[in-house]
Amino acid sequence: MASSDDASPPVAIVCVGMAGSGKTTFMQRINAHLHGKNQPPYVINLDPAVLNVPFDPNIDIRDSVNYEEVMKQYNLGPNGGILTSLNLFATKVDQIVNLLEKRAKPDAENPDRKPIDRIIVDTPGQIEAFVWSASGTILLESLASSFPTVIAYVIDTPRTASTSTFMSNMLYACSILYKTKLPMILVFNKTDVKDASFAKEWMTDFEAFQEALRQDEESDALGGVEGGGHGGSGYMGSLLNSMSLMLEEFYSHLSMVGVSSRVGTGVDEFFEAVEEKKQEFLRDYLPELEKRRQEREKQKKKSRDKELDKMMSDMSVAPGQAAQQSGAGNDSDVEVASDDDDSDEDEEAAKQGLQERYQAAMGDNEDSILADASFAKYLHKQR
């Protein structure tokens, strides 16, 4: 990890949530909260379709990608435009991470500027366009490879008051957790409209959720407007009951906080949860990340060695074929055992020399995606 030498590497908080959950307003609140404590965060906006944001981002996808032009140029709809804009922006991810790593270290030229200790990221309201896309995965994995990264899943509390919508949100959160493999905090937003204590009770007390489910079923049976379609009966009730049992283990891996982005309550509790998840990342997720990285490096090296062997094999076969063609019809050239031995030794020496030149050409740039191109340029120069 890039900031592993620091006592406390900056933590990246990636805010995701359904459209209308108050995600951008939540971003504004935590940004203002940190500025009020004289701890300004580094803010990144990844929503290309937003017209105005109520905070001043340090990095804004709209500065490098024009969402409307992308839609026109590629003949796309709104969601396709967002996805393509993210794909285009993801090509700059190495520059973004390098900039963040630089800002996370003390600046010798400007000692008064404090290193950043928090990075907050706003994502598109079309949650699937970020979480399930290749570009979203690249951006998240790139952040997590350099900084402790936490997912803040923002939930609209008033719209989650029924058992069915609550369970739908929990299943979506579960899928995001296992897709990203990063620590997650459930942020129940808009608690000034409805208190989130019911959600905490349902997550910690199985019997309380069963009772709420029973009440919703009774309300549906009576045809009440308030509860109509909320719980369901028969198959739906049985499904919700089974899922609540299944998610009991899932709840134990989550932190849950109630926040009002409008009033500002619960923000301190949110940052306490962030600190807990940061330590969890360093303790549990980072070793797994390093293990996956080593496996990828091993696989990459194996693949490159295979390609190198194939290339050297092709280069060693070609001269032999040329010699056969030039000597075709000449019966006086007779193969002897000593010729085979000499050719094997020459081939082995050529192979070793070529491998040494290959390593020299690569240098310390083995991770570069242009490594193969660099090697081709190197061979071209040797001609």
Side-chain angles (χ1 to χ4, degrees):
M1 184 163 294
S3 302
S4 58
D5 295 333
D6 299 336
S8 181
V11 59
I13 305 166
V14 182
C15 298
V16 300
M18 300 286 189
S21 62
K23 178 169 48 61
T24 301
T25 312
F26 173 71
M27 281 278 298
Q28 178 195 21
R29 173 58 64 182
I30 61 176
N31 181 45
H33 180 84
L34 291 172
H35 274 279
K37 292 196 168 187
N38 199 25
Q39 299 173 346
Y42 203 87
V43 185
I44 302 175
N45 173 47
L46 294 180
D47 190 349
V50 67
L51 292 177
N52 297 297
V53 288
F55 49 84
D56 188 18
N58 299 91
I59 297 176
D60 196 332
I61 187 174
R62 297 174 300 169
D63 293 338
S64 56
V65 180
N66 189 318
Y67 167 68
E68 292 183 352
E69 283 300 316
V70 166
M71 287 176 63
K72 289 178 185 175
Q73 209 168 16
Y74 296 97
N75 194 25
L76 299 169
N79 288 344
I82 290 173
L83 189 58
T84 305
S85 297
L86 283 169
N87 289 341
L88 293 170
F89 188 72
T91 61
K92 304 176 185 292
V93 68
D94 56 333
Q95 300 173 34
I96 296 167
V97 172
N98 288 338
L99 180 60
L100 292 172
E101 289 176 345
K102 184 179 178 182
R103 287 289 286 109
K105 298 173 183 175
D107 189 351
E109 297 179 0
N110 189 3
D112 293 334
R113 187 173 71 175
K114 294 191 299 183
I116 56 174
D117 59 355
R118 289 181 183 89
I119 303 159
I120 57 177
V121 183
D122 193 16
T123 59
Q126 288 76 359
I127 187 171
E128 68 283 353
F130 179 77
V131 174
W132 299 104
S133 65
S135 53
T137 302
I138 290 168
L139 289 162
L140 277 176
E141 288 189 352
S142 300
L143 269 180
S145 67
S146 296
F147 308 101
T149 304
V150 177
I151 302 292
Y153 181 56
V154 184
I155 299 170
D156 187 341
T157 308
R159 289 163 61 185
T160 314
S162 71
T163 51
S164 58
T165 52
F166 173 81
M167 188 57 63
S168 298
N169 258 304
M170 293 302 102
L171 286 172
Y172 212 108
C174 181
S175 67
I176 293 171
L177 177 69
Y178 290 108
K179 173 68 170 65
T180 62
K181 297 181 177 64
L182 293 170
M184 177 182 284
I185 302 170
L186 296 183
V187 181
F188 282 85
N189 197 14
K190 306 182 184 180
T191 54
D192 54 306
V193 178
K194 182 172 182 62
D195 191 84
S197 57
F198 74 92
K200 188 169 186 179
E201 186 180 21
W202 287 354
M203 290 175 65
T204 54
D205 188 347
F206 173 74
E207 292 182 357
F209 182 79
Q210 294 299 305
E211 176 62 24
L213 183 60
R214 186 185 62 78
Q215 291 178 3
D216 278 352
E217 287 176 353
E218 290 178 356
S219 178
D220 283 349
L222 294 173
V225 176
E226 179 69 22
H230 280 189
S233 57
Y235 171 74
M236 182 56 69
S238 176
L239 178 63
L240 291 173
N241 185 38
S242 301
M243 286 192 296
S244 65
L245 280 169
M246 182 269 292
L247 291 175
E248 195 171 6
E249 177 68 19
F250 166 68
Y251 295 148
S252 64
H253 292 86
L254 296 178
S255 295
M256 175 265 181
V257 292
V259 172
S260 170
S261 298
R262 188 175 70 86
V263 179
T265 55
V267 177
D268 286 323
E269 289 81 0
F270 169 73
F271 281 110
E272 288 173 7
V274 167
E275 188 58 34
E276 288 177 9
K277 290 299 177 183
K278 175 182 175 180
Q279 299 307 320
E280 181 182 322
F281 179 95
L282 294 171
R283 183 183 67 250
D284 300 332
Y285 286 78
L286 185 57
E288 181 65 23
L289 183 68
E290 294 290 347
K291 181 181 176 184
R292 293 206 309 268
R293 184 184 297 160
Q294 289 173 5
E295 288 175 354
R296 280 199 301 267
E297 289 298 323
K298 193 182 296 182
Q299 188 65 32
K300 188 191 297 183
K301 185 178 184 303
K302 184 179 178 182
S303 176
R304 290 174 61 154
D305 287 345
K306 183 179 178 182
E307 289 298 321
L308 177 62
D309 288 342
K310 182 181 177 183
M311 183 189 69
M312 290 191 295
S313 174
D314 291 343
M315 291 178 70
S316 63
V317 167
Q321 290 176 338
Q324 284 181 354
Q325 290 174 359
S326 64
N330 188 355
D331 296 335
S332 62
D333 294 333
V334 181
E335 286 190 4
V336 293
S338 59
D339 291 338
D340 288 340
D341 293 341
D342 291 342
S343 64
D344 288 344
E345 290 176 3
D346 292 342
E347 184 179 336
E348 187 64 32
K351 183 176 179 180
Q352 185 175 356
L354 186 57
Q355 190 155 8
E356 288 173 358
R357 283 190 289 156
Y358 172 78
Q359 297 297 338
M362 291 297 97
D364 297 326
N365 196 27
E366 289 188 356
D367 292 332
S368 171
I369 60 172
L370 299 175
D372 292 336
S374 301
F375 182 51
K377 289 178 182 177
Y378 176 78
L379 283 180
H380 183 70
K381 289 179 182 177
Q382 301 305 307
R383 291 177 181 176

